[in-house]
Amino acid sequence: MIHFALLISRQGKVRLTKWYTPYPQKQRSKVIKEVSTLILARGPKLCNFVDWQGCRVVYKRYASLYFCMCIDPADNELETLQIIHHFVEILDRYFGNVCELDLIFNFHKAYFILDEILIAGELQESNKKAVLRLVTAQDSLVEAAKEEASSLSKIIAQATK
Amino acid sequence: MASAPPAPSPAAAPSLADTLFQRSLDDIVKSLRADPSAAGDSATVARALSEIHREIRAPDAATKAVALQKLTYISSLHFAPVASHQLAFPAIELLASPHLSHKRLAYLAASVSLHPASLSLLPLATHQLHKDLSPSASAAASHRHVSALALQLLASPAAAAAPDLAVHLANNLVPHLSRGSPRAIAAAARVIAASPSAAVPILFKPLAACLASPDPRASTAAAAAFCDLSASPADAAPFLPLAPDLYNLLTTSRSNWALIKVLKVFARLAPLESRLAARIVDPVCQLLTQSAAMSLTFECIRTVLTALPAHDAAVRLAIGKAKEFLAADDDPNLRYLGLLAVGMLGPAYASTVNDCRGVIAQSLGDADSNICREALHLMMGMVDDNNVMDIAGMLVSHAAKSDPEFANDILGAVLAACGRNVYELVADFDWYASLLADMARSLHCAQGDEIGRQLVDVGLRVHDVRPELVRSARTLLIDPALLGNHFLDPVLSAASWISGEYVDFIKDPVEVVEALLQPRTSLLPMSVRAVYILAVFKVITFCFSVYVERLDDSSKAVNALSDWLAVDQTVSAERKVAPGSGDEQVIGPSTVEKDPFSHESILYIVNLIQTTVSPLVECNEVEVQERAHNLIGFVHLVREIQELKERKVADDEKHSPVKELVKTMRTVFCQELGPVSDNAQQNVAPPDGLVLNENLVEFADILSEDDTTPSTLIFFCPHSRHSAETRDEPAVSMGSSSLSEHRKRHGLFYLPTGKAEDEPNDYPHANDPLPPASNETAIDDKLKTVEPVFPGKKSKSTKSRPKVVKLDGEDFLSSMMANVNIPKEDPLSGAVRGVFLGRDANPSSSQNVSGIMSEGMLNKMGTNESSCQWIENIDTDLGGHLTSSSRTSKHRNRDNEKGTDPPESNGKESRKHKSSSRSGHRQGKHKHR
């Protein structure tokens, strides 16, 4: 299974983290630091797998972002690589030519999409259209609810009562 | 840090202004991005956090939601450390909100923030999760999303680690499972893993039913769930009854994702049941040949190589595919996986691995360090006594071209492989001695410690290698370039020790003394200089003793001192007695001037020592200072004799005490040092009445840890060399009198002496565990001298393998470690078995269950009967079958047998037991050879 998913920029900034096995908060920062230095140091045209502390990190670079997933050594590296690609394709379709800024300003949406694809460290939905349909359906529900809930007058009414 | 939660004070209460002019997530992101300072503890983050802490306590859900979103952003992207409860509590508050948008953010915050440390908060959420999971009539569309969110949280690691939650919500999961929701399947797997005893009776059957679900999403998710549940710490045996459903999936599924998971589960199940392996081998081979997806192909290769090694045709097919991977020039991923696959091949296919040697050797030079490392690993796996010289030589020359880190990996691997099990693989030690020297001179060498250790160790153990070892040591010592490199200090220390210890093999002592005293030795650390000085001491003692002997002979001769030729002849005769060196010494008139034992050269050495060592007498390092003092003292003594000779006073009475002293000094250094087993001390029986462990019981853990780590140190024990017999009595008594006195007084701590002490191979007395009656066999067992190991290729090897002194117990620890096999009985497997047996978790013998179950299972496999029904059949079948043959009780019996009444057995008996089992091990090994 996947232990964690990590998105880091070429400058080593964290863009998204998702933990599928319990890591305490302190350890998370350490893990991120270690994995990002390990991966950013690797040149192009090398293989996409790195051994790290008894696990294997599968990573792939898309534009300026590194998508990393940490798996057990017994897991299938190529399958994980496909999962990463699957995630990137769905992000690309959802945002329409996704770029790093999309993920920075809509980090929660990236999470929602990731949650549709991966649950408990395993791939749940291999159909891209199904994922997109679910996420957009949720979005439209949320939008509808927002419009009725968050008008300015309502806030003032709530605050002054 | 500003993120510390402020106490609820009136000033910090959220105001209307906060609500009205709340900054959105976008604002926060923008301000953080505009902040030039490094992310982490900048003022911007601190300001944002203090703002959030105010807003998050607002009564208004919308304000709270935005604040929570901002906090999630800051925490999950690790801008600042946010205590998890700060995030978790408002998240749980907001779970109850009726709005989907709030719920979504709340669930996101909860899944990011909850982890086992914050489990205390989780019971607060139980009710809300319960509500969100249970079917409701209202707002059907949005409710589906809500329950999806709740399942998502339940599948997150923190919630899965909470056993209470699992107990409360297991029943809520069942309807979702029967719908075949992948999230519910993942959540159920997590819940089962968290608390098997509570969840398995409720969830296991619905989960197993999902395997046979017509919905490919459900069956894929179920395959993944069982793949996780059967992963390595858990016992895979209880999942054997699922084999029919998994088999169906294997033959019918078209989803590569599902097939990979199914193959993984089968890889774990196949070793447990041989008929299963025979059953799956055909479908797996079919997938292997037909699949276009590399991930599935690799999974098939892995399954075949790890779980189906007995099926030769399948293995050949898999090897063929692995070679295709290796040949993929444009894809480093495939090359790496190909190497991994070749590494999975068992020893039965060693020749196949050897076929790939060219490709693997090529991979050593790959740009990718992962591939290099894997290739090195494979190379080391290939090493045997036939090819060790080729491979090690090739690797050492490759190390010179590699980057420093990998070069040291190579050197370390070569050292470990050649040194394994007391140089088991090395047949030609002359070659190994020069290889060690080559490694030390290799460009990036940082393995000085191990090289130095092995140089000394080989010298101690292998008599025949000493001339070559001394030659290698000389080349190391005379190279001034090596002296500046601190990684090589241990090597130089070992080389100087070898030159001193085996001084009789040195061809030109003058040169060695010059090397040992060259000016650049000041670059060495003091501990190494001390060894150097002692080595000089040994060399000068040797030279001088030879010189004095000559003097002796020549004084007896008619033409006393002027006849050099006569002296040389006697010397050459004398030196021919010394082992190994006689042939190398070519004595002729031309070498007279260069003769290192002549008056001139001795004088030269003495002068050199006096000029270079004298300053060290004032060194503030005690070791160096003391040894320098000793050396200078001896040099003064030497001068006295020189002067005597100068005056040509042939006064034997005046001579003799000085000569005696010189001989005594020589005898002191003649005592041969032999290797001692690391655990020799353990074999010394404590005398009666000595209580060693009374008050130290509590340290047992720490001590045992230390004892089991094999020490890399070398211990020395004095051991009289057989040539010492020729020495005169008083010298020996002088040399060892203090030792024997010490021995008399502290006999308790010495190893017992046997009759055969003067024999050359009496090391094993150090750990003689047997009574003297069976001494002979004991020695045979313990002193394992490795004889030439190649049966079929004696004609090829020009010289036979020299004797390697090997002690009892050196590989004893490792064999013990291998034997320690703690039987595991994990709660999950027990609970799952319980379900299958229709009982509560009742650990029963897995062999038994699997044996009986597989009986029916394989019959069922052909017929496409649903497994649930089949499981129920088994329930009834086994109802009365299994009584009390539990594995644990069996094991206890075995334990009782093994620990033969511990209170009565004294130390001796247990040791006997140990040694007998050990000798059995040895014998087995011999047979193998």
Side-chain angles (χ1 to χ4, degrees), chain B residues 564-565 568-569 572 585-595:
Chain B
W564 282 102
L565 207 63
D568 282 340
Q569 272 158 6
S572 71
Q585 197 89 0
V586 184
I587 305 285
S590 61
T591 59
V592 169
E593 281 83 4
K594 288 178 189 169
D595 177 21

Side-chain angles (χ1 to χ4, degrees), chain B residues 75-149:
Chain B
S75 126
S76 75
L77 298 194
H78 295 263
F79 282 112
V82 176
S84 63
H85 68 268
Q86 282 181 33
L87 200 53
F89 190 73
I92 287 169
E93 272 183 308
L94 213 58
L95 284 184
S97 163
H99 296 294
L100 181 62
S101 60
H102 298 165
K103 262 193 197 298
R104 211 150 68 130
L105 290 174
Y107 274 113
L108 176 60
S111 73
V112 167
S113 65
L114 284 175
H115 58 78
S118 61
L119 278 183
S120 55
L121 285 172
L122 212 52
L124 294 174
T126 311
H127 174 68
Q128 189 58 41
L129 280 172
H130 182 77
K131 222 165 103 184
D132 287 348
L133 281 174
S134 46
S136 86
S138 66
S142 76
H143 187 75
R144 221 184 57 226
H145 297 291
V146 170
S147 59
L149 288 172

Side-chain angles (χ1 to χ4, degrees), chain B residues 214-269:
Chain B
D215 180 4
R217 292 167 67 232
S219 55
T220 306
F226 283 114
C227 181
D228 275 355
L229 284 175
S230 63
S232 62
D235 182 8
F239 299 96
L240 263 177
L242 300 171
D245 284 326
L246 289 168
Y247 183 79
N248 275 344
L249 213 52
L250 181 67
T251 46
T252 58
S253 175
R254 306 185 62 82
S255 153
N256 286 345
W257 310 100
L259 287 171
I260 287 172
K261 298 294 174 194
V262 170
L263 284 171
K264 277 196 189 300
V265 181
F266 272 129
R268 284 166 201 149
L269 295 181

